[in-house]
Amino acid sequence: LRLNNHNLSQLHNATVPSYDRTTIKQGIVHVGVGGFHRAHLAVYVDSMLEQLGLRDWSICGVGLQPFDAEMKNALAPQDHLYTVLEKSARGSKARVIGSITDYLFAPDSSEAVIAKMAHPDTHIVSMTITESGYFYNENTHELEIEHPDIAFDLQGKGSPRTFFGYVSAALERRFKAGLKPFTVLSCDNMQKNGDITRNMLLTFVKHRNPEMATWLAQNGAFPNSMVDRITPRTLEADVNDLAENFGVQDSWPVVTEPFMQWVIEDKFADGRPPFEKVGVQVVKNVKEVEEFELTKLRLLNASHSAMGYAGYLAGFQYIHEVIGHPKFHKYIFNMMQQEVKPLLPRIPGVDVDEYCKTLISRFANPAMKDELTRICLGGSGKLPQFIMPSIAEQIVAGGPLRRLTLCAAAWFTYLQGFNEKGEEFVLSFDPMAKELQPLAREGGSDPMKMLGVKSLFGDDLRGDERFVAELKAAMKSLKTEGALATIEKYAE
Ligand code: NAD
């Protein structure tokens, strides 16, 4: 049966919303309605609407990118309903989510997006715009003010091109109307995602309207949060599985794992729904969020990158296949235990060894079919967040760093764009690929060209002899012995 409001009551093999979706106000505007948002924040909001009967907190989705037309076209005919297919080795569950009640596609009307964010009913603007959507320079920790899209938006002429352009235009209306600013809630995988959002946005706004920047600095809120739920790209087979086994015809369902976690700093400018009643850890202490974030990014996301690039070079297709290989399993386990764990803070109530074990079993979930081409997306936003900080800390501590370094070596080698048979392959999307691929190719197995990209690596790493020697050795091994043989050497 086609998924839409009318057919909801006839879907007997999936859990469906029982609340009236037509009269709920949209208190949240979410930019970047991809797989992750639909498997995470939108699911928590759906639980609140279902269990607590809230009337002010549905979500209006927003797509800023031209390719978001696909999401608009998938959701609109389904009354913005979609299905979450939760998969594990034990089987699958289907749940229809009703919390997204509208979707605005910015290229149709930038005015509609700005007006929606500025509307008094909007209390939170949340986003998953990927790491590169922040225009954050890893070296200077500043906004990339020279970037053509940021420079264009700073002029304020024509439809904005960036998240900051939209948000600042909407905030300007609220400022002039005497309203409170909405909370800007980042759900992207970045250490201190709220602080980065605050700093980038305030820099942007200062250039546009210094008076408004003061107002925003005093009244705005940018909670830090740690987000977790592995969400692969939806495959054609998932669409068919849902239709055949659950009787739901959904043109773009989301596939995810049973596990989900969200730790969020309790800092909101204009109210919030009671997230804590549906399993979100809302904490007063920012340090607690930071520690959770750090632990998750340096273990889960770092392991993903370490499996992604080397696994791709070794010819694997999915994460569960990579972790299923005994040498990769050992390599990842030892990287976590020996090179990352000693750097992490102790969090009361969290057993890091158990956390690592759980991660490995989540990676091994064969039902997820998490593609390496997804894991390899946007390395320029990921390695500097997930891998390089651990390396930098191990340099200072004089501790082990060879497995972490192999991950960087595998990324540099991957960026050259040739598999082990010498055939050229297309890189997973990375906004810096045009700049990085020529450097990776020119360098060959010498990493110095790549390490010279200051916006990613700063100055310190390039100057550390031990690290550079390790990196050279790892790149040489990848080139001469291949990825699998190299992993074997680094596993022990
Ligand atoms: P996706 O490809 O399904 O969706 C990405 C969304 O981001 C799209 O809506 C796209 O329009 C938007 N986007 C990309 N670049 C943008 C930009 N420059 N400005 C504005 N919007 C932009 O990806 P996803 O799986 O939803 O992941 C998105 C982000 O969510 C990740 O980058 C990560 O930070 C976070 N996240 C993902 C997972 C996961 O397992 N998929 C887990 C935790 C966190």
Side-chain angles (χ1 to χ4, degrees), residues 32-36 65 68 128-131 133 188-189 229 231 374:
V33 181
F36 180 64
Q65 304 286 336
D68 287 320
T128 38
I129 51 175
T130 78
E131 296 72 11
D188 276 299
N189 271 328
R229 192 173 206 188
T231 310
R374 179 186 86 85

Side-chain angles (χ1 to χ4, degrees), residues 398-410:
L401 47 69
R402 56 197 289 269
R403 299 185 184 91
L404 289 159
T405 304
L406 175 58
C407 173

Side-chain angles (χ1 to χ4, degrees), residues 31-38 62-65 67-68 71 103 128-135 161-163 187-190 227-232 252 296 301 304 370 374 377 382:
V31 180
V33 181
F36 180 64
H37 170 68
R38 299 196 301 149
V62 168
L64 301 185
Q65 304 286 336
F67 56 79
D68 287 320
M71 187 56 77
Y103 185 87
T128 38
I129 51 175
T130 78
E131 296 72 11
S132 62
Y134 293 78
F135 300 92
R161 292 181 182 168
T162 68
F163 174 77
C187 300
D188 276 299
N189 271 328
M190 289 185 304
V227 294
D228 194 3
R229 192 173 206 188
I230 298 175
T231 310
W252 200 344
K296 186 252 173 182
N301 299 92
H304 258 166
D370 200 2
R374 179 186 86 85
L377 285 166
K382 291 178 175 171

